[in-house]
Short mmCIF file of all heavy atoms in Angstrom, two decimals:
data_model
loop_
_atom_site.label_atom_id
_atom_site.label_comp_id
_atom_site.label_asym_id
_atom_site.label_seq_id
_atom_site.Cartn_x
_atom_site.Cartn_y
_atom_site.Cartn_z
N VAL A 183 10.13 -14.72 9.40
CA VAL A 183 8.99 -14.56 8.49
C VAL A 183 8.82 -13.05 8.06
O VAL A 183 8.63 -12.95 6.89
CB VAL A 183 7.71 -15.03 9.28
CG1 VAL A 183 6.33 -14.72 8.43
CG2 VAL A 183 7.67 -16.42 9.65
N LEU A 184 8.94 -12.21 8.99
CA LEU A 184 8.73 -10.76 8.56
C LEU A 184 9.90 -10.40 7.67
O LEU A 184 9.72 -9.55 6.71
CB LEU A 184 8.73 -9.86 9.81
CG LEU A 184 7.45 -10.19 10.70
CD1 LEU A 184 7.65 -9.33 12.00
CD2 LEU A 184 6.24 -9.64 9.99
N GLY A 185 11.10 -10.78 7.88
CA GLY A 185 12.18 -10.51 6.98
C GLY A 185 11.96 -10.87 5.60
O GLY A 185 12.28 -10.13 4.61
N LYS A 186 11.45 -12.05 5.44
CA LYS A 186 11.14 -12.68 4.17
C LYS A 186 10.12 -11.90 3.35
O LYS A 186 10.24 -11.36 2.32
CB LYS A 186 10.86 -14.17 4.29
CG LYS A 186 10.30 -14.73 2.87
CD LYS A 186 9.75 -16.06 3.08
CE LYS A 186 9.29 -16.62 1.77
NZ LYS A 186 8.82 -18.00 1.77
N PHE A 187 8.94 -11.65 4.06
CA PHE A 187 7.73 -11.12 3.39
C PHE A 187 7.78 -9.68 3.29
O PHE A 187 7.35 -9.05 2.40
CB PHE A 187 6.47 -11.58 4.12
CG PHE A 187 6.05 -13.04 3.79
CD1 PHE A 187 6.40 -14.08 4.65
CD2 PHE A 187 5.54 -13.31 2.60
CE1 PHE A 187 6.12 -15.33 4.33
CE2 PHE A 187 5.19 -14.63 2.20
CZ PHE A 187 5.50 -15.65 3.22
N ALA A 188 8.40 -8.97 4.29
CA ALA A 188 8.62 -7.46 4.21
C ALA A 188 9.44 -7.15 2.98
O ALA A 188 9.24 -6.23 2.21
CB ALA A 188 9.13 -6.91 5.43
N GLY A 189 10.49 -8.05 2.83
CA GLY A 189 11.37 -7.98 1.62
C GLY A 189 10.53 -8.01 0.36
O GLY A 189 10.89 -7.41 -0.75
N ILE A 190 9.56 -8.91 0.36
CA ILE A 190 8.79 -9.12 -0.93
C ILE A 190 7.77 -8.01 -1.09
O ILE A 190 7.57 -7.30 -2.15
CB ILE A 190 8.03 -10.56 -0.86
CG1 ILE A 190 9.11 -11.57 -0.89
CG2 ILE A 190 7.10 -10.66 -2.00
CD1 ILE A 190 8.57 -12.98 -0.62
N PHE A 191 6.92 -7.75 0.00
CA PHE A 191 5.76 -6.80 -0.01
C PHE A 191 6.22 -5.43 -0.30
O PHE A 191 5.52 -4.61 -0.87
CB PHE A 191 4.89 -7.04 1.23
CG PHE A 191 4.23 -8.41 1.40
CD1 PHE A 191 3.90 -8.77 2.45
CD2 PHE A 191 4.13 -9.18 0.27
CE1 PHE A 191 3.12 -10.02 2.74
CE2 PHE A 191 3.37 -10.41 0.35
CZ PHE A 191 2.95 -10.79 1.69
N GLU A 192 7.45 -5.12 0.26
CA GLU A 192 7.77 -3.65 0.34
C GLU A 192 8.87 -3.36 -0.57
O GLU A 192 9.50 -2.25 -0.40
CB GLU A 192 8.05 -3.28 1.87
CG GLU A 192 6.87 -3.54 2.81
CD GLU A 192 6.98 -3.20 4.23
OE1 GLU A 192 7.93 -2.31 4.54
OE2 GLU A 192 6.40 -3.70 5.09
N ASP A 193 9.20 -4.22 -1.48
CA ASP A 193 10.37 -4.02 -2.34
C ASP A 193 9.95 -3.08 -3.52
O ASP A 193 9.23 -3.54 -4.37
CB ASP A 193 10.92 -5.29 -2.83
CG ASP A 193 12.16 -5.16 -3.71
OD1 ASP A 193 12.61 -4.06 -3.90
OD2 ASP A 193 12.62 -6.14 -4.20
N LYS A 194 10.43 -1.90 -3.53
CA LYS A 194 10.04 -1.01 -4.54
C LYS A 194 10.59 -1.46 -5.94
O LYS A 194 10.09 -0.96 -6.98
CB LYS A 194 10.50 0.38 -4.30
CG LYS A 194 9.91 0.96 -3.03
CD LYS A 194 10.39 2.32 -2.71
CE LYS A 194 9.84 2.88 -1.47
NZ LYS A 194 10.21 4.26 -1.21
N GLU A 195 11.55 -2.20 -5.99
CA GLU A 195 12.08 -2.66 -7.24
C GLU A 195 11.35 -3.64 -8.02
O GLU A 195 11.18 -3.81 -9.24
CB GLU A 195 13.52 -3.18 -7.06
CG GLU A 195 14.64 -2.00 -6.59
CD GLU A 195 14.71 -1.01 -7.70
OE1 GLU A 195 14.71 -1.27 -8.98
OE2 GLU A 195 14.83 0.20 -7.19
N SER A 196 10.71 -4.75 -7.19
CA SER A 196 9.97 -5.69 -7.72
C SER A 196 8.51 -5.72 -7.62
O SER A 196 7.85 -6.38 -8.19
CB SER A 196 10.46 -7.07 -7.00
OG SER A 196 10.22 -7.01 -5.64
N ARG A 197 8.02 -4.79 -6.81
CA ARG A 197 6.50 -4.68 -6.55
C ARG A 197 6.08 -3.39 -6.97
O ARG A 197 6.41 -2.38 -6.22
CB ARG A 197 6.22 -5.12 -5.19
CG ARG A 197 4.83 -5.45 -4.92
CD ARG A 197 4.54 -5.98 -3.55
NE ARG A 197 3.20 -6.45 -3.37
CZ ARG A 197 2.45 -5.95 -2.41
NH1 ARG A 197 2.81 -5.14 -1.42
NH2 ARG A 197 1.19 -6.51 -2.30
N ASP A 198 5.28 -3.21 -7.93
CA ASP A 198 4.72 -1.90 -8.37
C ASP A 198 3.94 -1.22 -7.33
O ASP A 198 4.17 0.01 -7.16
CB ASP A 198 3.78 -2.13 -9.55
CG ASP A 198 4.51 -2.19 -10.85
OD1 ASP A 198 5.74 -2.14 -10.85
OD2 ASP A 198 3.88 -2.40 -11.89
N ILE A 199 3.23 -1.81 -6.42
CA ILE A 199 2.48 -1.10 -5.46
C ILE A 199 3.26 -0.54 -4.52
O ILE A 199 2.98 0.60 -4.02
CB ILE A 199 1.44 -2.21 -4.82
CG1 ILE A 199 0.44 -2.56 -5.86
CG2 ILE A 199 0.78 -1.63 -3.58
CD1 ILE A 199 -0.57 -3.71 -5.31
N ALA A 200 4.45 -1.16 -4.02
CA ALA A 200 5.35 -0.48 -3.22
C ALA A 200 5.99 0.72 -3.70
O ALA A 200 6.22 1.73 -2.99
CB ALA A 200 6.44 -1.59 -2.73
N ARG A 201 6.22 0.57 -5.05
CA ARG A 201 6.96 1.77 -5.69
C ARG A 201 6.03 2.86 -5.80
O ARG A 201 6.48 4.02 -5.71
CB ARG A 201 7.44 1.27 -7.13
CG ARG A 201 8.11 2.28 -8.00
CD ARG A 201 8.80 1.72 -9.08
NE ARG A 201 7.83 0.91 -9.98
CZ ARG A 201 7.01 1.55 -10.83
NH1 ARG A 201 6.97 2.89 -11.00
NH2 ARG A 201 6.09 0.85 -11.46
N VAL A 202 4.76 2.70 -6.06
CA VAL A 202 3.84 3.92 -6.35
C VAL A 202 2.95 4.14 -5.16
O VAL A 202 1.90 4.85 -5.33
CB VAL A 202 3.07 3.63 -7.65
CG1 VAL A 202 3.80 3.40 -8.83
CG2 VAL A 202 2.18 2.38 -7.45
N ALA A 203 3.35 3.73 -4.05
CA ALA A 203 2.40 3.81 -2.81
C ALA A 203 2.09 5.25 -2.72
O ALA A 203 0.81 5.47 -2.37
CB ALA A 203 3.16 3.27 -1.64
N PRO A 204 2.79 6.31 -2.70
CA PRO A 204 2.39 7.64 -2.52
C PRO A 204 1.26 8.10 -3.59
O PRO A 204 0.41 8.79 -3.25
CB PRO A 204 3.72 8.50 -2.53
CG PRO A 204 4.72 7.52 -2.18
CD PRO A 204 4.30 6.21 -2.83
N ASP A 205 1.55 7.67 -4.80
CA ASP A 205 0.69 8.04 -5.88
C ASP A 205 -0.72 7.27 -5.60
O ASP A 205 -1.73 7.83 -5.95
CB ASP A 205 1.22 7.66 -7.27
CG ASP A 205 2.34 8.46 -7.55
OD1 ASP A 205 2.43 9.60 -7.07
OD2 ASP A 205 3.33 7.99 -8.30
N LEU A 206 -0.64 6.04 -5.16
CA LEU A 206 -1.86 5.24 -4.96
C LEU A 206 -2.71 5.98 -3.82
O LEU A 206 -3.90 5.97 -4.06
CB LEU A 206 -1.48 3.91 -4.43
CG LEU A 206 -2.51 2.90 -4.13
CD1 LEU A 206 -3.51 2.78 -5.20
CD2 LEU A 206 -2.07 1.51 -3.66
N ILE A 207 -2.08 6.45 -2.74
CA ILE A 207 -2.78 7.14 -1.81
C ILE A 207 -3.45 8.29 -2.29
O ILE A 207 -4.61 8.62 -2.08
CB ILE A 207 -1.82 7.50 -0.59
CG1 ILE A 207 -1.41 6.14 0.18
CG2 ILE A 207 -2.56 8.45 0.37
CD1 ILE A 207 -2.43 5.49 0.89
N LYS A 208 -2.75 9.12 -3.17
CA LYS A 208 -3.33 10.37 -3.84
C LYS A 208 -4.53 9.94 -4.63
O LYS A 208 -5.50 10.70 -4.60
CB LYS A 208 -2.36 11.03 -4.65
CG LYS A 208 -1.14 11.75 -3.76
CD LYS A 208 -0.15 12.40 -4.71
CE LYS A 208 0.85 13.11 -3.92
NZ LYS A 208 1.92 13.76 -4.84
N MET A 209 -4.46 8.91 -5.27
CA MET A 209 -5.57 8.45 -6.26
C MET A 209 -6.72 8.10 -5.36
O MET A 209 -7.84 8.44 -5.62
CB MET A 209 -5.18 7.28 -7.08
CG MET A 209 -6.28 6.78 -8.03
SD MET A 209 -6.03 5.16 -8.73
CE MET A 209 -6.41 4.18 -7.16
N LEU A 210 -6.52 7.42 -4.22
CA LEU A 210 -7.65 6.86 -3.38
C LEU A 210 -8.24 8.08 -2.56
O LEU A 210 -9.46 8.06 -2.25
CB LEU A 210 -7.04 5.88 -2.38
CG LEU A 210 -6.64 4.58 -2.94
CD1 LEU A 210 -6.08 3.71 -1.86
CD2 LEU A 210 -7.83 3.87 -3.46
N GLU A 211 -7.56 9.22 -2.48
CA GLU A 211 -8.12 10.30 -1.96
C GLU A 211 -9.38 10.97 -2.72
O GLU A 211 -10.20 11.61 -2.24
CB GLU A 211 -7.18 11.44 -1.64
CG GLU A 211 -6.04 11.17 -0.57
CD GLU A 211 -4.97 12.15 -0.54
OE1 GLU A 211 -4.86 12.97 -1.35
OE2 GLU A 211 -4.18 12.11 0.56
N SER A 212 -9.32 10.59 -4.01
CA SER A 212 -10.49 10.94 -4.93
C SER A 212 -11.57 9.97 -4.77
O SER A 212 -12.70 10.28 -5.32
CB SER A 212 -9.94 11.07 -6.27
OG SER A 212 -8.88 12.00 -6.42
N PHE A 213 -11.41 8.88 -4.01
CA PHE A 213 -12.55 7.83 -4.00
C PHE A 213 -12.76 7.42 -2.52
O PHE A 213 -13.03 6.31 -2.35
CB PHE A 213 -12.09 6.71 -4.81
CG PHE A 213 -11.87 6.93 -6.29
CD1 PHE A 213 -10.60 7.33 -6.84
CD2 PHE A 213 -12.96 6.80 -7.07
CE1 PHE A 213 -10.60 7.65 -8.21
CE2 PHE A 213 -12.86 7.04 -8.48
CZ PHE A 213 -11.66 7.47 -9.07
N GLY A 214 -12.83 8.40 -1.70
CA GLY A 214 -13.29 7.95 -0.36
C GLY A 214 -12.20 8.08 0.79
O GLY A 214 -12.60 7.93 1.90
N LEU A 215 -10.98 8.02 0.37
CA LEU A 215 -10.00 8.09 1.51
C LEU A 215 -9.67 9.55 1.87
O LEU A 215 -8.77 10.28 1.44
CB LEU A 215 -8.69 7.54 0.90
CG LEU A 215 -7.47 7.42 1.96
CD1 LEU A 215 -7.83 6.48 3.15
CD2 LEU A 215 -6.25 6.94 1.15
N VAL A 216 -10.60 9.95 2.74
CA VAL A 216 -10.66 11.39 3.09
C VAL A 216 -10.67 11.39 4.70
O VAL A 216 -10.93 10.51 5.34
CB VAL A 216 -11.75 12.14 2.57
CG1 VAL A 216 -11.62 12.31 1.03
CG2 VAL A 216 -13.16 11.55 3.01
N GLU A 217 -10.51 12.64 5.21
CA GLU A 217 -10.58 12.70 6.62
C GLU A 217 -11.90 12.39 7.17
O GLU A 217 -12.97 12.83 6.65
CB GLU A 217 -10.24 14.20 6.99
CG GLU A 217 -10.14 14.53 8.51
CD GLU A 217 -9.60 15.83 8.91
OE1 GLU A 217 -9.28 16.53 7.95
OE2 GLU A 217 -9.48 16.15 10.12
N GLY A 218 -11.89 11.59 8.18
CA GLY A 218 -13.23 11.20 8.75
C GLY A 218 -13.73 9.87 8.25
O GLY A 218 -14.74 9.38 8.83
N ALA A 219 -13.17 9.28 7.19
CA ALA A 219 -13.57 8.09 6.57
C ALA A 219 -13.16 6.79 7.43
O ALA A 219 -12.18 6.83 8.09
CB ALA A 219 -12.95 7.99 5.25
N ARG A 220 -14.00 5.87 7.31
CA ARG A 220 -13.63 4.45 7.79
C ARG A 220 -13.13 3.63 6.67
O ARG A 220 -13.99 3.38 5.76
CB ARG A 220 -14.91 3.87 8.57
CG ARG A 220 -14.49 2.48 9.08
CD ARG A 220 -15.71 1.75 9.89
NE ARG A 220 -15.57 2.42 11.25
CZ ARG A 220 -16.64 2.78 12.05
NH1 ARG A 220 -17.84 2.58 11.47
NH2 ARG A 220 -16.38 3.21 13.24
N VAL A 221 -11.89 3.11 6.83
CA VAL A 221 -11.47 2.37 5.83
C VAL A 221 -11.00 0.97 6.25
O VAL A 221 -10.47 0.70 7.39
CB VAL A 221 -10.05 2.88 5.22
CG1 VAL A 221 -9.32 2.20 4.06
CG2 VAL A 221 -10.37 4.31 4.65
N VAL A 222 -11.29 -0.11 5.41
CA VAL A 222 -10.85 -1.40 5.72
C VAL A 222 -9.89 -1.92 4.76
O VAL A 222 -10.18 -1.89 3.58
CB VAL A 222 -12.18 -2.47 5.85
CG1 VAL A 222 -11.59 -3.79 5.96
CG2 VAL A 222 -13.03 -1.98 6.89
N ASP A 223 -8.64 -2.30 5.17
CA ASP A 223 -7.65 -2.86 4.44
C ASP A 223 -7.60 -4.35 4.60
O ASP A 223 -7.12 -4.83 5.60
CB ASP A 223 -6.26 -2.21 4.82
CG ASP A 223 -5.22 -2.60 3.81
OD1 ASP A 223 -5.49 -3.44 2.89
OD2 ASP A 223 -4.01 -2.00 3.93
N VAL A 224 -8.12 -5.16 3.64
CA VAL A 224 -8.26 -6.57 3.78
C VAL A 224 -6.86 -7.12 3.34
O VAL A 224 -6.46 -7.03 2.24
CB VAL A 224 -9.32 -7.10 2.76
CG1 VAL A 224 -9.40 -8.65 2.87
CG2 VAL A 224 -10.75 -6.49 3.21
N GLY A 225 -6.40 -8.06 4.14
CA GLY A 225 -5.01 -8.59 3.89
C GLY A 225 -3.86 -7.55 4.00
O GLY A 225 -3.26 -7.52 2.99
N CYS A 226 -3.80 -6.95 5.05
CA CYS A 226 -2.93 -5.75 5.08
C CYS A 226 -1.45 -6.25 5.15
O CYS A 226 -0.56 -5.29 4.93
CB CYS A 226 -3.28 -5.02 6.51
SG CYS A 226 -2.39 -3.49 6.72
N GLY A 227 -1.18 -7.39 5.39
CA GLY A 227 0.16 -7.96 5.22
C GLY A 227 1.21 -7.42 6.14
O GLY A 227 0.82 -7.35 7.42
N THR A 228 2.24 -6.79 5.80
CA THR A 228 3.17 -6.22 6.76
C THR A 228 2.93 -4.81 7.06
O THR A 228 3.76 -4.03 7.66
CB THR A 228 4.63 -6.35 6.17
OG1 THR A 228 4.72 -5.73 4.97
CG2 THR A 228 5.09 -7.76 6.22
N GLY A 229 1.80 -4.19 6.43
CA GLY A 229 1.40 -2.84 6.75
C GLY A 229 1.98 -1.75 5.80
O GLY A 229 2.30 -0.68 6.20
N LEU A 230 2.31 -2.14 4.58
CA LEU A 230 2.89 -1.17 3.56
C LEU A 230 2.00 0.12 3.60
O LEU A 230 2.83 1.20 3.65
CB LEU A 230 2.86 -1.91 2.23
CG LEU A 230 3.25 -0.96 1.04
CD1 LEU A 230 4.74 -0.61 1.15
CD2 LEU A 230 2.96 -1.47 -0.26
#
């Protein structure tokens, strides 16, 4: 299961979110993703 879905969820070639993950984190830092924050990741999947 993990081999199949990790390959899908974390594939930088086929999934934009995996490819731009570092940039996404930087963007979220402007919207509450800061030290001391409580964050909920709904449907975290394989933990990308």
Side-chain angles (χ1 to χ4, degrees):
V183 174
L184 294 171
K186 173 184 176 181
F187 284 99
I190 296 173
F191 295 160
E192 301 179 24
D193 183 1
K194 296 180 181 180
E195 296 297 322
S196 63
R197 196 170 188 236
D198 275 359
I199 290 172
R201 179 170 56 81
V202 301
D205 294 330
L206 176 58
I207 293 296
K208 289 181 181 178
M209 183 199 73
L210 291 173
E211 287 173 352
S212 300
F213 293 92
L215 183 63
V216 296
E217 186 171 355
R220 173 172 283 144
V221 178
V222 175
D223 186 359
V224 178
C226 191
T228 56
L230 173 66

